[in-house]
Amino acid sequence: MTPLTDRVARRTAFALLHRLRTGRIVVKDADGAHAFGPPDEPALTIRVNDPAAYRRSLSGSAGMGESYALGEWDTDDLTGLLQVLVRHIGPIEAAASPWYRG
């Protein structure tokens, strides 16, 4: 995909992460650190190693897992991160549905 597509996916992913009501996620990428969720909760960190991670992760939970397996992103607390995401999966997947490939 093009860098433009990855940038659009990044903006979309950040918009979805802004919906977090519980749990705090800090995304670290080439542009710095970006925090989402309530500031009074412990932060879980995602390090984005490849901008394609945003695009692939928007294709659903399988895409996020594939992106992780490819090393496009990593975290020190995968279990904690998944627990936060599972609590929000309904609204996030509904909002991301235009990105799904079926």
Side-chain angles (χ1 to χ4, degrees), residues 47-92:
R47 286 171 302 283
V48 176
N49 305 315
D50 184 332
Y54 296 110
R55 176 180 33 83
R56 195 178 316 272
S57 293
L58 287 175
S59 68
S61 54
M64 188 172 188
E66 181 181 354
S67 180
Y68 179 79
L70 290 170
E72 293 175 345
W73 66 274
D74 62 74
T75 181
D76 293 334
D77 185 358
L78 184 58
T79 301
L81 177 64
L82 293 176
Q83 288 172 338
V84 169
L85 293 176
V86 164
R87 285 193 302 254
H88 297 87
I89 199 73
I92 288 175

